[in-house]
Amino acid sequence: MNGARHRKLVEFRVDDMDCASCLDTIRRGLSKRPGVETVEGSPVSRRLEVSFDPEVVDEETIRREVGDLGYTVLIPAAEPGQGIGVWRSPRAYRTYIAGALFFAGLALRVLLHGSIVDSHGGPSWPAAEDLLFVGAAIVGAANFLPRAIGAIRGRVLDMHVLMLLAVIGAAAIGEYMEAAAIAFLFSVAELLEGFASERAEASVRSLMELSPEVARVRRDGREVTIRSADVTAGDEVVVRPGERIPADGQIVDGHSAVDESPITGEAMPVEKGLGDGVYAGSILHEGFLVVRSEGDAGDTTLARMIRLIEEAERRRSPSERFVERFARYYTPAVTIGAVLVVAVPVFLFGQPFAMWLLRGLTLLVIACPCALVISTPVSVVSAITAAARHGVLIKGGASLERMADVRVVAFDKTGTLTHGRAEVTDVITVADLDRQTVLAIASAVEARSEHPIARAIVRAANGAGDDLEVTDFESFPGRGARARVGPAVYTVGRPSLVDMDSDPQLATLAAEGKTPVVVLRTPDGGDMSVVAILGLTDPVRPVVPGVIRELRDLGIQRIVVLSGDLRQAAEEAGRVAGVDDVWSRLEPAAKVEAVERLEAETGCTAMVGDGVNDAPALAAASVGIAMGAAASDAALETADIAVMGDDLARLPYLYRLARRSRRVIRQNILAALAVKVILAIGVPLGWVSLIVAVLVGDMGASLVVTVNALRLARVREQASEGWPTRERTGTG
Ligand code: ADP
Ligand code: MG
């Protein structure tokens, strides 16, 4: 990377960094190390990204440091955790053993004393069942002992330290059952968190598994089987029915219905044939295809999607930052509270030490911010992966949260509201060239432009311009294109390139709602003149009016069309779509100003475009949403949110998902906080026992926020389907 000579970025995979405060512990521990600059990561993807000055520390030292904090760094980092699964890991078995001992202890106590309540009470000689409890406490605590020691060594007060203190403290005053309960239940809580992050990660991994293991390629006239990862640009890949396409590329032989749902989220298979593009990860229905690979295996749209989702999970949203900051004060504050709860009654009022120590330990348990800290990232990851399955790529929690704030939606017209499959309806020749020649020349000029109008002209020429020699191609974003064809330079583009506003033929085309395009000629040494006027129609997609209505029903206040086209064509499109305002004749820079004005006038604006001529506007908007992003790398990379297919019906889904996510995040933060506050108040009053504190405040709260977050996966595309749970409660 340029300008970053003294900075190196390394990604580590830390498989057991799956609890909420683990990441924070590692981040704080590592940051104290000289040379370490930034530490980013996600407890969900269990990846850690460390940037450091290679002249001060090296990778090995950082890896050792993470190990010293009590975690295991996997090598190589790039391999996904093909772990054995949380429920069959060593710590799971320790948890089961701790649980078995704990319940055996309970059973024995009931057998011997006829009640679960400790009959002998207070510090005394251990009873027989206490041996079982001590065993449970030791086995359970073994799960978090290394992390607790690591945190202490790194001078970080994290929940493992607190839990260890609570276990030791409870055992010290003879409350063996409590000690066992904390060790066991906290282990279960950590397993649950591990399970939640494993599930979220599994959905990213299921995307990775979409690219097949092997590919058949044609080499030297023979078919050979190679690893998909070894496919390179230019390889001809043979794909048979039922198989997955291993590379992005162009069909050079055969035709078939192709299921692109893994990429675009579109359930209907698409008919594809000679010359059409296909994506790695799509499934062939019937038929047979030969695909010429466009790039190397690591460079497919699917691979890029996976990378972007992983990055998205690492970026923290404002809510996540808030919760983390909060936890940083919350935990020490409650810990101090715990000390006071012991010190004040015992030393100032001569109260019994054991009872108040127990209450202090209970507060320590409550000081763990686990449920609170995990509440937001699980929601964000759950939403991002759910969206990815619908072909919508959200680039991080911040984009998701901003989407929920959107008040205004601005649409690009050509290629976004319209099909982008415009048709040339009129060819008005005004010079010596006939219709066929005009189309041939215009198509030759436009052959290299990706604008929908350019593609329409190329289609209309039907190959007529293919043999013409074209040099000096130049593109003017939002205005047109120019190239030398034979003895003259031709320009194809918007009428404002020349002053033609009063031209009657142009006015007629415009009045019909058509998009006029002029073809201009500049002979060597001569002046530029008009040789033809083309008229194009580009109908609004049939789904648009419904989508706009739905967005409005969902609470979007203002919907605007921003178009580079002429007023009439833009207004006609706006009328059909049913939008509030139509702003026309905007060049790319003017679209940026328009977006800024919308932000200032009405509020948070989402700009929806296809990335052709509107990339600056996408970047300027609070939320830039690129449609058809699978087709354009630039759009995929620059937008905040990328809709892989070009189905506008994903927009209401996206908005609904974003709003639900925000609601779930708020519910989770509030619920976790409320539980903690209520328990914390109850402790000094003697209403909350240690076991209740772990069961409800830690394990229960973590479970509730996780389950709540996982509900986001069930947000549906159709408004009518709503929340499945709500429907059920509505009828029952
Ligand atoms: P929109 O904002 O409606 O998507 P654009 O900004 O992409 O439209 O384009 C605005 C206008 O510029 C088009 O209506 C067309 O007249 C002209 N134009 C842009 N690119 C080209 C091109 N490659 N060939 C011909 N005309 C073009
Ligand atoms: Mg456009």
Side-chain angles (χ1 to χ4, degrees):
M1 223 176 265
N2 273 339
R5 259 181 310 133
H6 297 298
R7 200 156 163 270
K8 200 174 161 194
L9 196 71
V10 173
E11 193 181 78
F12 298 100
R13 162 130 198 137
V14 187
D15 227 25
D16 46 7
M17 183 183 72
D18 56 6
C19 66
S21 73
C22 303
L23 171 63
D24 201 46
T25 304
I26 296 178
R27 190 184 296 133
R28 285 201 271 167
L30 274 188
S31 304
K32 291 183 181 140
R33 182 103 217 166
V36 173
E37 277 161 27
T38 59
V39 184
E40 288 297 329
S42 150
V44 177
S45 69
R46 289 175 273 179
R47 269 154 213 269
L48 196 65
E49 206 180 65
V50 185
S51 79
F52 57 91
D53 183 344
E55 284 172 15
V56 184
V57 281
D58 57 12
E59 208 179 311
E60 190 45 48
T61 315
I62 292 174
R63 192 176 295 147
R64 211 166 340 105
E65 188 85 356
V66 177
D68 285 348
L69 288 166
Y71 300 85
T72 353
V73 180
L74 287 198
I75 314 165
E79 282 303 308
Q82 299 290 3
I84 29 176
V86 217
W87 303 114
R88 292 169 52 199
S89 61
R91 62 184 170 135
Y93 287 116
R94 280 195 290 267
T95 308
Y96 303 149
I97 296 171
L101 290 170
F102 175 65
F103 287 113
L106 285 185
L108 192 61
R109 173 169 286 182
V110 173
L111 268 181
L112 294 181
H113 309 282
S115 144
I116 281 190
V117 185
D118 193 354
S119 52
H120 57 272
S124 63
W125 288 109
E129 73 270 21
D130 287 338
L131 280 178
L132 292 170
F133 288 139
V134 169
I138 291 174
V139 177
N143 276 337
F144 48 93
L145 184 69
R147 295 180 188 195
I149 293 174
I152 293 168
R153 234 193 273 151
R155 296 186 198 295
V156 180
L157 177 70
D158 79 350
M159 63 189 201
H160 300 110
V161 179
L162 297 178
M163 286 297 179
L164 189 66
L165 281 178
V167 172
I168 294 173
I173 54 169
E175 300 290 350
Y176 302 111
M177 183 179 87
E178 273 74 7
I182 303 170
F184 166 58
L185 292 174
F186 181 60
S187 294
V188 174
E190 292 227 297
L191 285 183
L192 283 172
E193 282 187 37
F195 174 65
S197 66
E198 201 179 67
R199 269 206 51 170
E201 209 203 1
S203 46
V204 177
R205 199 154 58 227
S206 69
L207 271 180
M208 292 184 195
E209 281 159 5
L210 288 177
S211 49
E213 285 285 308
V214 293
R216 262 190 306 276
V217 297
R218 280 188 181 161
R219 285 199 178 146
D220 310 322
R222 283 192 312 130
E223 254 180 46
V224 290
T225 304
I226 61 170
R227 293 194 324 143
S228 294
D230 295 333
V231 173
T232 52
D235 273 339
E236 289 196 349
V237 190
V238 181
V239 197
R240 302 225 163 85
E243 291 182 345
R244 288 188 184 277
I245 300 175
D248 279 13
Q250 216 185 23
I251 298 176
V252 291
D253 192 12
H255 59 87
S256 169
V258 177
D259 172 7
E260 300 193 318
S261 61
I263 313 293
T264 62
E266 178 54 65
M268 283 294 287
V270 200
E271 272 309 320
K272 299 239 171 173
L274 196 65
D276 288 335
V278 291
Y279 301 114
S282 338
I283 308 157
L284 215 61
H285 263 214
E286 73 278 338
F288 154 95
L289 291 183
V290 181
V291 176
R292 183 178 305 117
S293 169
E294 246 159 31
D296 298 345
D299 210 29
T300 61
T301 305
L302 183 65
R304 265 193 294 275
M305 274 174 69
I306 293 168
R307 260 198 309 275
L308 289 171
I309 295 176
E310 284 176 347
E311 269 169 38
E313 291 179 354
R314 264 203 299 269
R315 279 187 214 147
R316 278 169 301 158
S317 71
S319 307
E320 281 174 78
R321 283 177 204 281
F322 162 76
V323 167
E324 272 174 29
R325 250 195 327 264
F326 180 84
R328 238 168 250 186
Y329 295 102
Y330 168 83
T331 303
V334 182
T335 311
I336 292 170
V339 173
L340 292 179
V341 158
V342 183
V344 173
V346 174
F347 297 119
L348 295 188
F349 301 102
Q351 293 276 320
F353 177 70
M355 181 178 114
W356 287 96
L357 181 64
L358 200 59
R359 291 183 182 175
L361 295 175
T362 310
L363 263 187
L364 271 195
V365 167
I366 292 168
C368 287
C370 330
L372 189 60
V373 179
I374 197 84
S375 63
T376 309
V378 283
S379 311
V380 169
V381 169
S382 179
I384 288 178
T385 47
R389 272 198 299 275
H390 287 85
V392 180
L393 220 130
I394 303 172
K395 306 274 201 61
S399 306
L400 179 71
E401 289 188 14
R402 273 203 306 275
M403 185 67 211
D405 284 330
V406 165
R407 293 277 151 275
V408 192
V409 177
F411 285 96
D412 169 59
K413 183 185 77 96
T414 313
T416 304
L417 282 188
T418 67
H419 274 292
R421 265 189 89 87
E423 244 175 273
V424 179
T425 50
D426 303 68
V427 181
I428 305 166
T429 56
V430 289
D432 52 325
L433 303 176
D434 64 18
R435 189 191 138 93
Q436 206 48 33
T437 318
V438 163
L439 279 177
I441 291 172
S443 137
V445 172
E446 294 278 34
R448 277 200 271 161
S449 168
E450 55 174 331
H451 197 274
I453 289 179
R455 292 205 304 261
I457 293 173
V458 171
R459 264 197 309 275
N462 203 6
D466 292 357
D467 314 325
L468 296 176
E469 197 192 322
V470 184
T471 51
D472 305 334
F473 173 81
E474 246 183 300
S475 155
F476 306 101
R479 282 180 293 164
R482 178 164 72 191
R484 167 177 287 278
V485 184
V489 170
Y490 288 88
T491 310
V492 184
R494 59 197 295 166
S496 61
L497 287 170
V498 276
D499 185 18
M500 286 190 62
D501 279 354
S502 51
D503 184 278
Q505 282 166 313
L506 204 134
T508 315
L509 286 177
E512 290 169 7
K514 290 175 179 161
T515 299
V517 168
V518 293
V519 182
L520 310 168
R521 175 172 58 192
T522 322
D524 287 334
D527 288 334
M528 182 160 82
S529 64
V530 181
V531 291
I533 305 168
L534 311 180
L536 289 93
T537 54
D538 189 7
V540 169
R541 297 165 197 262
V543 296
V544 167
V547 166
I548 305 258
R549 229 177 301 121
E550 218 184 322
L551 285 175
R552 245 192 258 284
D553 288 347
L554 288 170
I556 297 289
Q557 284 168 7
R558 190 173 181 193
I559 300 176
V560 184
V561 171
L562 302 183
S563 176
D565 207 341
L566 295 189
R567 190 174 59 82
Q568 289 98 326
E571 276 180 356
E572 174 61 14
R575 191 190 59 76
V576 173
V579 302
D580 301 311
D581 297 292
V582 177
W583 295 354
S584 53
R585 302 185 70 154
L586 304 172
E587 293 193 11
K591 286 191 186 176
V592 172
E593 278 167 38
V595 164
E596 280 163 0
R597 217 177 102 192
L598 287 170
E599 301 259 5
E601 275 177 15
T602 320
C604 188
T605 301
M607 170 80 205
V608 186
D610 59 357
V612 178
N613 293 346
D614 49 23
L618 290 179
S622 291
V623 187
I625 305 175
M627 300 298 302
S632 154
D633 297 350
L636 183 57
E637 302 287 335
T638 53
D640 298 302
I641 297 176
V643 179
M644 303 305 288
D646 63 1
D647 185 2
L648 285 162
R650 298 288 192 282
L651 290 177
Y653 163 76
L654 169 64
Y655 188 54
R656 213 175 304 122
L657 179 73
R659 294 261 294 256
R660 294 247 161 95
S661 306
R662 188 173 60 184
R663 202 156 64 204
V664 164
I665 289 171
R666 287 184 180 164
Q667 284 168 352
N668 275 359
I669 294 177
L670 266 179
L673 267 182
V675 167
K676 300 268 167 180
V677 168
I678 291 169
L679 291 179
I681 293 173
V683 171
L685 301 173
W687 292 346
V688 178
S689 73
L690 234 176
I691 295 184
V692 168
V694 211
L695 199 63
V696 178
D698 191 59
M699 197 189 89
S702 294
L703 190 63
V704 166
V705 297
T706 304
V707 169
N708 196 24
L710 292 178
R711 289 197 312 159
L712 286 171
R714 296 195 298 185
V715 175
R716 294 279 176 268
E717 268 177 47
Q718 253 80 59
S720 51
E721 290 179 44
W723 273 114
T725 42
R726 176 167 302 171
E727 270 178 10
R728 254 183 259 132
T729 48
T731 52

